[in-house]
Amino acid sequence: MFTKRLLSGIILVLIALAVVIKGGSILFFVTGILSLAGLFEFYRVLGIHKNVLGAMGYLLAAVYYGLLWFDGKQHIEFVIIAAVFLFMTMYVVTFPTYKTDQVTGAFFGVFYVAVMLSYLYQTRMMEDGMYAVWLVFISSWGCDTFAYCSGMLLGKHKMAPVLSPKKSIEGAVGGTLGAIILGGVYGLAFGGNMTEMEAPVLICAAACGAAAVISQIGDLAASAVKRNHNVKDYGNLIPGHGGILDRFDSMLFTAPAIFFILTFLSY
């Protein structure tokens, strides 16, 4: 199990490196595919992955990415209004076929998965995106690694005993501090290439620290959904890691967090 997880993790990192470095249409296409796959996993947990609500969700996610590709004005606002209109219309027309929680879950899934993950691509497309985008991975996967290590070594106080018994406050603090350190080191190493940042070391460290806190909320949120629906993993697409949402759950939060933190602090 460990060997399988390690090998698939290495392959995943190599693929991520290649795709993110290339950027452009390749990253856009991969992000869109991951979003649809993740949305399918989320809908499957809710039990709506094969009905008309799921189909509408996939369509809206595709429309959102289409508008994003063509840089459509107010594309998020359009998708929000369209989603509310379409889902509520279906709710009324088919009443009482679908329950309120199914309709709201279908609406929520589009933004929780597709829209939030799209900020990986949007961060890559920023002025310093070739370098700034890696802060998404540092604050997500870096925080996970440091949180695991510090939790194993120092963990005594449970952070969320019911939701995630293995996570500790010490691990959360260690993960956040580790992300700050990694962000600062990254800023020190590549800050000279980030022309839009006046203080790249400070900004990278602060961005990674804030995003690391947010990433842990994202991880726990994904766990909460699984526990509420009595599933262990969202899928088995990635050997040893589970599904797309099992591996990218925290990145759903760090991608938009890094994008907006850098927008407010640097641009």
Side-chain angles (χ1 to χ4, degrees), residues 10-11 31 41 49 52 64 171 185 245 266:
I10 292 173
I11 294 172
T31 304
E41 291 177 351
H49 59 300
V52 68
Y64 167 78
V185 172
L245 292 184
S266 307

Side-chain angles (χ1 to χ4, degrees), residues 9-10 16 23 37 42 46 69 76-77 80 83 95 110 115 127 141 170 174 181 195 206 225 233 237 241 249-250 258:
I10 292 173
F42 183 74
L46 300 185
W69 176 251
I76 294 181
E77 290 87 345
I80 291 174
F95 189 85
V110 174
V115 173
E127 288 294 329
W141 294 353
E170 292 82 2
I181 294 171
T195 58
V225 173
D233 294 317
L237 186 62
H241 293 268
D249 51 2
S250 58
I258 291 295

Side-chain angles (χ1 to χ4, degrees), residues 85-251:
F85 176 77
L86 290 174
F87 281 127
M88 294 310 290
T89 298
M90 183 57 59
Y91 184 39
V92 171
V93 171
T94 62
F95 189 85
T97 302
Y98 300 111
K99 305 301 181 182
T100 305
D101 58 340
Q102 291 179 304
V103 177
T104 55
F107 174 83
F108 174 73
V110 174
F111 298 92
Y112 172 56
V113 182
V115 173
M116 292 182 74
L117 189 58
S118 76
Y119 281 95
L120 177 63
Y121 167 75
Q122 295 189 65
T123 302
R124 177 64 176 82
M125 297 304 293
M126 298 174 86
E127 288 294 329
D128 290 331
M130 184 173 182
Y131 297 95
V133 70
W134 299 107
L135 299 178
V136 175
F137 294 90
I138 291 173
S139 58
S140 178
W141 294 353
C143 175
D144 284 349
T145 301
F146 274 91
Y148 176 79
C149 295
S150 56
M152 289 291 291
L153 294 172
L154 306 171
K156 292 182 178 179
H157 301 87
K158 301 296 183 183
M159 182 170 65
V162 176
L163 184 57
S164 187
K166 294 183 179 180
K167 294 186 184 298
S168 66
I169 294 175
E170 292 82 2
V173 173
T176 302
L177 292 177
I180 292 173
I181 294 171
L182 287 176
V185 172
Y186 183 81
L188 186 64
F190 298 100
N193 299 306
M194 301 180 194
T195 58
E196 298 298 318
M197 295 186 190
E198 294 184 1
V201 176
L202 180 61
I203 289 176
C204 287
C208 284
V213 174
I214 295 172
S215 78
Q216 295 179 75
I217 296 174
D219 182 51
L220 288 171
S223 297
V225 173
K226 289 188 288 186
R227 283 190 174 273
N228 271 341
H229 293 85
N230 298 314
V231 297
K232 182 179 183 296
D233 294 317
Y234 280 103
N236 55 10
L237 186 62
I238 307 173
H241 293 268
I244 296 298
L245 292 184
D246 294 299
R247 181 65 276 180
F248 292 90
D249 51 2
S250 58
M251 198 174 294

